[in-house]
């Protein structure tokens, strides 16, 4: 009888909101790759795959593993680009040397996790891009998506890379959330923690899309340094329609306070 009374008491407390009912928590760590030779030489990479991690970049990635030691990552999603794959390899090496591994043995490459498509800008120096395209470069730095234009010579199409990237971030979130919901149902696991190893500009779009910010927030909120990592919490995996995340904070290199969902 005593146990029954306690159960009824808890149900009443849940019903009237006195205490919170346990709910599913879906945690995502979004990480940028380590420093590349192109980063060091101020060359625009975009979604091209010519750059590789420097020794410093490898060290940054190994050090960033410390941000994950107190969690259990259930899934990993990565960009197809070599610099992101190299970063994940450094994390795996650190994990193998740890007393308690936290990373699953496999990962899934998603093409939509590639860096922003910069078309004709890719492979050019920052200084040359500033000189040739001052208005678009200013829009790029200031985060003005309607004014940031880049030509794709091969098709003679003028693109709006920031707007395209935000649309792609929305799309890949829906893909990841659908995959995770299915995995959650299959494994009967309540809580899941996901690691995404990708890129700085895409990282901003992923964070912004998750939190309900539009592309005008670019370079204003959540700017990722090399191996910067943001922690995002969702309370709902449904994608019809997809819900915004509950809150976010920096996980690495310097942990920050939680920031709740806001819109722009």
């Amino acid at each position: 009888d005593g146990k029954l009374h306690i159960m009824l008491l808890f149900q009443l407390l849940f019903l009237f909101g006195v205490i919170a009912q346990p709910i599913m928590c879906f945690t995502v760590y979004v990480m940028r790759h380590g420093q590349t030779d192109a980063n060091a030489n101020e060359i625009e990479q975009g979604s091209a795959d010519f750059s590789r991690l420097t020794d410093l970049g490898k060290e940054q990635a190994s050090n960033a593993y410390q941000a994950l030691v107190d969690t259990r990552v259930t899934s990993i999603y990565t960009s197809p680009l070599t610099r992101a794959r190299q970063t994940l390899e450094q994390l795996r090496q650190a994990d193998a040397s740890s007393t308690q591994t936290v990373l699953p043995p496999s990962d899934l490459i998603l093409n939509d996790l590639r860096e922003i498509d910069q078309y004709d800008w890719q492979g050019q120096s920052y200084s040359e891009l500033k000189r040739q395209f001052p208005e678009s470069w200013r829009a790029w730095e200031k985060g003005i998506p309607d004014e940031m234009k880049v030509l794709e010579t091969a098709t003679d199409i003028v693109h709006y890379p920031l707007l395209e990237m935000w649309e792609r971030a929305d799309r890949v979130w829906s893909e990841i959330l659908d995959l995770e919901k299915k995995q959650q149902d299959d494994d009967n696991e309540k809580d899941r923690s996901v690691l995404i190893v990708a890129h700085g500009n895409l990282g901003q779009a992923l964070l912004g899309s998750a939190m309900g910010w539009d592309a005008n927030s670019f370079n204003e909120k959540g700017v990722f340094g090399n191996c910067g990592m943001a922690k995002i919490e969702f309370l709902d995996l449904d994608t019809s329609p997809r819900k915004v995340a509950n809150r976010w904070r920096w996980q690495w290199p310097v942990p920050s306070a939680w920031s709740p969902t806001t819109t722009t």
Side-chain angles (χ1 to χ4, degrees):
D1 288 345
K3 289 183 179 180
L4 179 60
H5 290 155
I6 292 173
M7 289 176 62
L8 290 172
L9 176 61
F10 269 89
Q11 289 176 356
L12 287 171
L13 291 173
F14 289 148
L15 179 63
F16 290 102
V18 177
I19 61 177
Q21 189 168 6
I23 55 177
M24 181 278 300
C25 183
F26 175 55
T27 303
V28 183
Y29 300 90
V30 177
M31 179 181 180
R32 183 189 178 190
H33 60 78
Q35 185 200 60
T36 66
D37 45 11
N39 293 150
N41 292 301
E42 297 192 333
I43 303 295
E44 180 59 40
Q45 298 167 106
S47 58
D49 200 23
F50 57 83
S51 63
R52 301 293 182 267
L53 294 192
T54 62
D55 289 341
L56 174 59
K58 293 177 181 179
E59 181 180 356
Q60 290 170 333
S62 297
N63 291 339
Y65 175 77
Q66 296 303 311
L68 300 170
V69 294
D70 292 328
T71 189
R72 184 179 71 87
V73 177
T74 51
S75 302
I76 301 175
Y77 299 93
T78 73
S79 161
L81 302 183
T82 302
R83 54 194 187 267
R85 301 294 300 167
Q86 287 182 306
T87 298
L88 176 57
E89 179 58 31
Q90 294 299 126
L91 293 175
R92 288 203 180 282
Q93 289 182 20
D95 194 46
S97 301
S98 177
T99 55
Q100 183 176 357
T101 59
V102 300
L103 301 181
S106 62
D107 54 84
L108 182 61
I109 297 173
L110 298 178
N111 187 52
D112 276 348
L113 289 177
R114 69 188 184 278
E115 181 58 298
I116 186 172
D117 297 317
Q118 291 284 50
Y119 305 102
D120 285 9
W121 282 21
Q122 293 174 174
Q124 297 195 57
S125 69
Y126 296 167
S127 59
E128 186 63 19
L129 291 172
K130 291 177 188 179
R131 186 187 68 79
Q132 289 190 55
F133 312 104
E135 293 183 1
S136 283
W137 185 267
R138 175 184 172 278
W140 166 241
E141 289 188 317
K142 297 293 185 180
I144 310 174
D146 293 334
E147 298 179 13
M148 197 260 175
K149 307 173 186 179
V150 176
L151 175 67
E152 182 183 16
T153 300
T155 60
D156 198 31
I157 294 175
V158 174
H159 292 268
Y160 293 81
L162 284 175
L163 294 175
E164 292 176 359
M165 179 176 65
W166 236 260
E167 291 175 3
R168 177 152 52 87
D170 284 339
R171 187 168 66 240
V172 79
W173 269 129
S174 293
E175 181 178 4
I176 289 172
L177 291 172
D178 282 340
L179 288 167
E180 287 300 305
K181 192 172 192 310
K182 182 179 185 302
Q183 195 65 45
Q184 181 190 51
D185 293 340
D186 291 346
D187 295 346
N188 197 27
E189 284 186 319
K190 184 174 183 180
D191 296 334
R192 296 190 63 78
S193 293
V194 166
L195 173 64
I196 296 175
V197 183
H199 306 274
N201 298 306
L202 181 72
Q204 288 197 55
L206 289 171
L207 177 58
S209 175
M211 299 302 296
W213 311 332
D214 63 27
N216 290 288
S217 67
F218 183 75
N219 279 349
E220 290 185 2
K221 303 177 180 181
V223 178
F224 287 71
N226 286 121
C227 284
M229 188 186 302
K231 182 177 182 180
I232 307 170
E233 284 190 357
F234 290 84
L235 299 182
D236 194 332
L237 285 173
D238 286 342
T239 57
S240 301
R242 178 171 64 82
K243 310 298 191 298
V244 297
N246 182 51
R247 60 181 185 169
W248 81 281
R249 70 177 179 88
W250 288 115
Q251 180 79 359
W252 186 266
V254 180
S256 67
W258 286 104
S259 296
T261 299
T262 57
T263 57
T264 59

